[in-house]
Amino acid sequence: MTDGTEKNVAAMLDQEHDELNVMISDLRNWLADVAELGIPHFGELSTRLRPLHEKLCEHFDHEEKHGLLSEVGDTPELATAACELLKQHEQLRTELRDLINLLRDSETPFVSWQSACETFEGLCEVLAQHELAEMKVRDSAKDSGKITKNSKT
C-alpha cells in the first residue's frame, strides 16, 4: 500500500470505530431508559442490535481486506498476532448474531432484562479488548517502521 492509501484506510477505520462507539453508546442509553421503565423489550433490543451487527461486519471486512495483515509486513510476531485477531472477527460476528436471534425469539432465554443487558455489556467488553489488542499490534508495527505514524485501528 502506498502512504496515501494507508492514511485513507486508517482514516476509514478510525471513522468506523467512531461510528461503532456512537452506536454502542446509543444502545447503552436506550437500555438504561428501558431499565428505568421496568418493562423489558427483548424483541426491540434485537431489532436495535441489527444495525450494530451490520456495521461491525462491514468494519471487520474492511480490516480483513485492508487493515492489520497488510500493515504488519513480514514481521513474524506481528503477523501471527494480526492473524489471531482477524480470527476473532468471526467469533465476534457470531456472538452478536446469536444474541440478536436469542432476543428475537418469543421464548427468550434471559431471566431478566438485566441479564440481557449484562450479556450485551459482556460482548461490548470483549469487543473493546479486541480493538485494544489491534491498536497494540498496529502501534508495534508503527514503532518498527512497518506502517505510517498516522495509521490507527
Side-chain angles (χ1 to χ4, degrees), residues 11-25:
M12 175 187 65
L13 294 175
D14 286 346
Q15 181 179 350
E16 290 174 355
H17 281 146
D18 291 344
E19 291 168 4
L20 287 165
N21 288 331
V22 166
M23 293 173 88
I24 289 169
S25 178

Side-chain angles (χ1 to χ4, degrees), residues 1-17:
M1 254 189 284
T2 66
D3 189 44
T5 303
E6 286 176 359
K7 288 179 183 178
N8 290 339
V9 169
M12 175 187 65
L13 294 175
D14 286 346
Q15 181 179 350
E16 290 174 355
H17 281 146

Side-chain angles (χ1 to χ4, degrees), residues 1 9 59-70 86:
M1 254 189 284
V9 169
H59 173 67
F60 285 164
D61 287 344
H62 290 153
E63 283 186 338
E64 290 162 7
K65 290 176 186 164
H66 309 290
L68 274 181
L69 207 49
S70 63
L86 293 174

Side-chain angles (χ1 to χ4, degrees), residues 120-137:
F120 172 70
E121 283 300 328
L123 183 56
C124 289
E125 179 61 31
V126 170
L127 181 59
Q129 290 173 2
H130 172 83
E131 294 301 325
L132 280 173
E134 284 183 344
M135 285 193 299
K136 286 180 183 177
V137 168

